[in-house]
Amino acid sequence: MWHWKQVRYFALGGAALVSACASLPDFPELSSLALSEVRNGPEALRPGSYELDPQHAHLYFAINHMGLSLLYGRFDTFDANFSVDDSLTGASDFEMVIDVNSLFVSTEAFSETLRGDGWFNAEEHPQAVFRAREITRMDERTGILSGDLTLNGRTQPVEIRLIFNGGAFVALTGKYTVGFNAEGSFNRSDFGLGQYAGLVGDEVQLRFSGEFQRVN
């Protein structure tokens, strides 16, 4: 049960927060990008070259740990780009480069272990690269990106499922921007990362969400 002093402090803190928000500067341009202006039809994926906006991009992975939990991790440093041709069927030149040394799991010590030569061997293979070969459109907003993943010095085919969230001109950056969610999976044993089989799952699930800015 809360003490009345706790309630009083909470109320005062809430009042201070409201006051602080009220004192924030007004940015009229923020209202210029209403949700209704984000389009997600085929025409929203405009022809041109696109580069990843690293401030609005996230790449996660998950793997089963002894049947007890999912171990989640992330890569904090990566880059990607693609282009769309006039027929709106492009993106076959999609490429993502991942800094393996940016891997992070639950603790820094555990992360360092996974970066080491017994696992990802980041010193010898500091980059993981996914290069698309083709994209198969399922409907107006979804597709399958087929390509090759190079990890730990090995290359294997991988399929990525895409969801096109839409595109819009962003007033704050002055750039036309598109957003995607993506997911896929691979077997770690295919890349020489099959340690502790039976205790740690073989399938690695991938999740991505991010924005790309049109550069020309």
Side-chain angles (χ1 to χ4, degrees):
M1 181 178 294
W2 282 27
H3 192 275
W4 71 271
K5 287 185 177 180
Q6 291 176 294
V7 175
R8 179 171 176 267
Y9 291 151
F10 180 79
L12 289 174
L17 179 61
V18 171
S19 176
C21 291
S23 66
L24 289 174
D26 184 25
F27 293 102
E29 65 267 28
L30 290 177
S31 63
S32 67
L33 184 59
L35 184 61
S36 60
E37 295 180 23
V38 177
R39 292 178 168 80
N40 54 28
E43 73 286 350
L45 193 57
R46 298 178 180 177
S49 298
Y50 291 82
E51 293 180 350
L52 183 72
D53 175 3
Q55 297 186 75
H56 300 96
H58 306 274
L59 179 60
Y60 294 94
F61 63 87
I63 188 168
N64 188 294
H65 181 250
M66 299 177 61
L68 298 174
S69 67
L70 282 176
L71 172 67
Y72 287 93
R74 67 178 192 263
F75 291 98
D76 291 331
T77 304
F78 54 95
D79 196 11
N81 60 80
F82 69 92
S83 62
V84 178
D85 61 26
D86 291 336
S87 65
L88 303 181
T89 60
S92 60
D93 60 345
F94 178 91
E95 179 180 84
M96 175 177 285
V97 179
I98 303 164
D99 180 1
V100 179
N101 281 294
S102 72
L103 177 150
F104 185 82
V105 284
S106 49
T107 67
E108 179 57 33
F110 192 12
S111 302
E112 190 64 31
T113 296
L114 293 183
R115 298 178 199 126
D117 57 11
W119 289 91
F120 282 88
N121 196 11
E123 183 175 354
E124 185 175 348
H125 304 290
Q127 292 184 335
V129 181
F130 175 77
R131 292 187 177 93
R133 285 180 276 102
E134 62 178 343
I135 182 170
T136 303
R137 292 181 60 178
M138 308 302 291
D139 55 40
E140 290 188 349
R141 294 187 57 203
T142 63
I144 303 295
L145 200 60
S146 302
D148 296 311
L149 174 64
T150 299
L151 174 65
N152 194 32
R154 301 189 183 188
T155 301
Q156 296 289 341
V158 171
E159 289 190 344
I160 304 295
R161 296 176 292 279
L162 294 175
I163 298 177
F164 178 48
N165 297 324
F169 177 80
V170 178
L172 286 176
T173 62
K175 296 181 179 180
Y176 188 77
T177 303
V178 296
F180 293 89
N181 290 343
E183 60 181 35
S185 65
F186 63 86
N187 291 331
R188 62 190 181 94
S189 58
D190 290 341
F191 296 88
L193 301 170
Q195 298 90 322
Y196 300 103
L199 296 177
V200 179
D202 193 27
E203 183 184 53
V204 178
Q205 302 173 26
L206 299 173
R207 298 290 185 274
F208 166 84
S209 184
E211 300 175 13
F212 294 81
Q213 298 174 336
R214 189 170 179 262
V215 294
N216 61 46

